[in-house]
């Protein structure tokens, strides 16, 4: 029987990316050939151990740090939790400075730490979503407490980039520790840890065409933290549990591909973002671009817009889904009730005019095409006629 399927177009690459075929091939080979437990001392185990250490070397080389500073984790969420909780538990941190538009895995961890007695201060942000650096300097100079600053590199809903070199300089000046959530930028921006002083840094493979369920945490060698999962001696005693070998190899392959092809990929994504902005502005003159005003200086893969409020925009996500288009509502759904995005709320509060329309996040990959964008705009126009 013949079935007709609507063609699907994927503009939700900040949520997750499709795995690169070369990554799948790498992982499949490992699954088929290397099932040995990396902790076993026999030859099969030693081969698996070598694969893991080679993958660690890839990550360390790409970030320009030492091998011993990279720990594989299960995801970005675990890495972020670990950094914040270990900084408090093991490094004497009693105060954390962050912003209200970080990812929920940071914000909810901060809520918990605050309940346990840690002082948490939220630094002001600008209307683009970038941190207010003067305010950060003030917050840092106003206290003698051992402080950790946790600020993301790129915001996942807006694509706004924080200047992590500038934040790092402020932290060095005020003797504070610095953690940065680079989940959206690893593989999209060159990060050189010999140039920027960072104490913790987070990455997650599924955002750069690698598998889900694998991430990493960079922990600067100066930090003497204690194990974050107790058990065996995996990850140099820090994170016990038999390693996700194929995930780790997939992460390394995906990172190599992302870094080797970064310039071409970013150029293509930038072209798509610019085309989308132009087409949307022509089709919907009242559309508002949330976050960065232009693609220059932003993370090109994300474009967040607010469609003018109307009864039609309420059903926008549904109409797009029916038309085969995957995008994100820019809002989280919890317990069946729609809760507005904390990020949109955060920038709206500091904007001259509050954001009232329906926010939608489109996020691109180098695999998207100009034709897909034209198709999307056509479908959007059909919704609003
Ligand atoms: C900025 C940011 N941090 C952390 C995470 C969590 O990463 P993971 O899905 O690997 O847990 C995400 C995922 O959306 C993210 O965008």
């Amino acid at each position: 029987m013949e079935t007709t399927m609507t063609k699907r177009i994927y503009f939700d690459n900040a949520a997750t990316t499709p795995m690169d075929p070369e990554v799948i091939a790498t992982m499949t080979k490992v699954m088929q050939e290397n099932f040995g437990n990396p902790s076993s001392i026999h030859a099969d185990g030693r081969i698996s151990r070598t694969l893991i250490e080679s993958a660690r070397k890839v990550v360390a080389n790409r970030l320009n740090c030492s091998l011993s500073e990279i720990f594989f984790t299960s995801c970005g969420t675990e890495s972020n939790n670990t950094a914040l909780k270990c900084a408090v538990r093991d490094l004497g941190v009693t105060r954390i400075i962050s912003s209200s538009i970080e990812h929920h895995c940071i914000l909810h961890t901060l809520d918990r730490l605050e309940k346990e007695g840690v002082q948490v201060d939220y630094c002001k942000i600008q209307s683009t979503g970038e941190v207010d650096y003067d305010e950060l300097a003030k917050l840092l100079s106003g206290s003698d407490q051992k402080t950790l600053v946790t600020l993301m590199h790129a915001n996942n809903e807006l694509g706004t980039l924080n200047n992590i070199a500038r934040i790092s300089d402020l932290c060095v000046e005020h003797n504070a520790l610095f953690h940065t959530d680079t989940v959206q930028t690893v593989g999209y921006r060159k990060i050189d840890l010999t140039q920027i002083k960072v104490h913790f840094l987070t990455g997650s493979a599924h955002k750069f065409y690698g598998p889900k369920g694998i991430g990493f945490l960079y922990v600067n060698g100066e930090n003497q933290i204690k194990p974050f999962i107790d058990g065996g001696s995996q990850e140099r005693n820090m994170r016990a549990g038999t390693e996700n070998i194929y995930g780790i190899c997939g992460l390394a392959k995906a990172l190599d591909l992302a870094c080797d092809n970064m310039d071409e990929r970013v150029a293509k994504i930038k072209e798509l973002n610019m085309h989308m902005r132009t087409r949307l502005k022509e089709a919907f003159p009242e559309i508002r671009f949330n976050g960065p005003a232009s693609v220059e200086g932003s993370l090109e893969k994300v474009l967040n817009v607010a469609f003018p409020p109307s009864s039609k925009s309420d059903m926008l996500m549904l109409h797009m889904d029916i038309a085969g288009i995957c995008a994100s509502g820019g809002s989280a759904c919890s317990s069946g009730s729609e809760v507005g995005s904390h990020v949109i709320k955060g920038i709206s509060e500091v904007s001259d005019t509050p954001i009232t329309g329906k926010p939608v996040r489109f996020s691109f990959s180098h695999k998207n095409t100009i034709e897909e964008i034209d198709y999307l705009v056509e479908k959007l126009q059909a919704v609003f006629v």
Side-chain angles (χ1 to χ4, degrees):
M1 195 179 68
E2 216 174 279
T3 53
T4 46
M5 291 260 301
T6 321
K7 86 171 165 181
R8 308 275 323 158
I9 299 183
Y10 191 74
F11 286 128
D12 202 13
N13 291 280
T16 196
T17 50
M19 278 173 63
D20 209 301
E22 285 186 63
V23 173
I24 297 176
T26 299
M27 291 175 70
T28 306
K29 189 166 184 294
V30 175
M31 282 181 202
Q32 285 167 339
E33 296 175 11
N34 309 106
F35 67 90
N37 187 323
S39 298
S40 300
I41 54 167
H42 51 63
D44 282 15
R46 291 200 306 275
I47 293 171
S48 295
R49 163 73 40 224
T50 305
L51 288 173
I52 292 176
E53 294 318 313
S54 304
R56 199 184 312 281
K57 200 166 175 186
V58 167
V59 181
N61 285 346
R62 293 298 183 177
L63 296 176
N64 216 357
C65 66
S66 146
L67 282 174
S68 60
E69 294 175 312
I70 299 298
F71 298 91
F72 291 113
T73 64
S74 66
C75 57
T77 298
E78 181 188 327
S79 300
N80 281 344
N81 266 259
T82 303
L84 303 191
K85 289 173 181 168
C86 287
V88 170
R89 187 191 65 178
D90 304 328
L91 303 177
V93 165
T94 56
R95 178 184 184 226
I96 301 182
I97 300 174
S98 189
S99 88
S100 63
I101 62 168
E102 299 296 304
H103 191 270
H104 275 133
C105 63
I106 294 286
L107 295 176
H108 293 166
T109 304
L110 291 176
D111 286 346
R112 179 174 300 280
L113 291 170
E114 198 169 20
K115 286 197 188 93
E116 290 168 5
V118 175
Q119 181 183 328
V120 180
D121 293 315
Y122 293 93
C123 185
K124 264 197 222 150
I125 50 166
Q126 306 171 41
S127 58
T128 55
E130 190 169 355
V131 71
D132 179 331
Y133 302 97
D134 293 337
E135 179 71 13
L136 179 62
K138 267 191 222 148
L139 284 170
L140 279 166
S141 55
S143 162
D144 292 334
Q145 285 183 69
K146 180 87 178 170
T147 300
L148 170 84
V149 171
T150 176
L151 287 167
M152 65 208 316
H153 192 186
N155 185 279
N156 49 304
E157 287 193 31
L158 304 171
T160 304
L161 282 163
N162 277 325
N163 183 337
I164 53 172
R166 191 165 169 191
I167 297 170
S168 163
D169 286 348
L170 285 170
C171 289
V172 170
E173 189 184 331
H174 295 281
N175 204 20
L177 302 179
F178 178 32
H179 163 251
T180 183
D181 175 350
T182 51
V183 163
Q184 293 291 346
T185 50
V186 170
Y188 298 82
R189 284 291 183 278
K190 187 153 179 45
I191 299 173
D192 182 343
L193 291 170
T194 61
Q195 299 302 308
I196 304 180
K197 176 83 185 243
V198 171
H199 296 84
F200 299 97
L201 178 143
T202 296
S204 178
H206 74 100
K207 307 289 186 181
F208 51 88
Y209 310 92
K212 293 169 184 57
I214 185 74
F216 68 83
L217 177 65
Y218 159 84
V219 182
N220 186 303
E222 290 171 8
N223 303 331
Q224 293 301 313
I225 61 168
K226 300 199 181 87
F228 23 104
I229 297 186
D230 294 307
S233 59
Q234 293 90 352
E235 294 300 286
R236 295 181 311 290
N237 287 317
M238 283 297 164
R239 183 181 185 274
T242 302
E243 298 90 337
N244 172 1
I245 315 170
Y246 31 85
I248 291 172
C249 294
L251 180 149
K253 182 70 186 174
L255 186 59
D256 264 343
L257 288 169
C259 293
D260 286 345
N261 300 297
M262 191 183 290
D263 291 347
E264 303 90 272
R265 287 184 181 186
V266 168
K268 170 81 187 292
I269 294 171
K270 184 173 177 184
E271 186 196 349
L272 294 169
N273 186 317
M274 286 165 65
H275 184 72
M276 177 87 163
R277 282 174 184 262
T278 308
R279 289 297 324 271
L280 284 175
K281 200 74 199 159
E282 282 164 7
F284 307 97
E286 284 169 36
I287 202 163
R288 177 169 175 167
F289 297 118
N290 300 320
S294 99
V295 72
E296 296 305 332
S298 78
L299 186 68
E300 303 79 4
K301 77 172 153 179
V302 183
L303 177 58
N304 193 312
V305 301
F307 287 93
S310 90
S311 55
K312 300 205 167 137
S313 62
D314 291 344
M315 299 299 281
L316 193 57
M317 297 311 298
L318 180 66
H319 284 300
M320 280 200 288
D321 199 21
I322 292 169
I325 295 158
C326 303
S328 162
S331 65
C333 260
S334 61
S335 318
S337 67
E338 234 198 27
V339 179
S341 153
H342 67 288
V343 175
I344 296 298
K345 183 168 173 279
I347 58 165
S348 185
E349 280 168 3
V350 291
S351 296
D352 292 340
T353 44
I355 298 166
T356 50
K358 172 79 186 164
V360 182
R361 177 187 70 181
F362 299 101
S363 46
F364 312 109
S365 95
H366 58 281
K367 294 167 194 253
N368 288 126
T369 62
I370 293 283
E371 290 70 38
E372 286 178 337
I373 289 181
D374 291 341
Y375 175 81
L376 163 69
V377 176
E378 211 178 279
K379 291 289 166 194
L380 288 170
Q381 280 176 304
V383 172
F384 284 98
V385 283

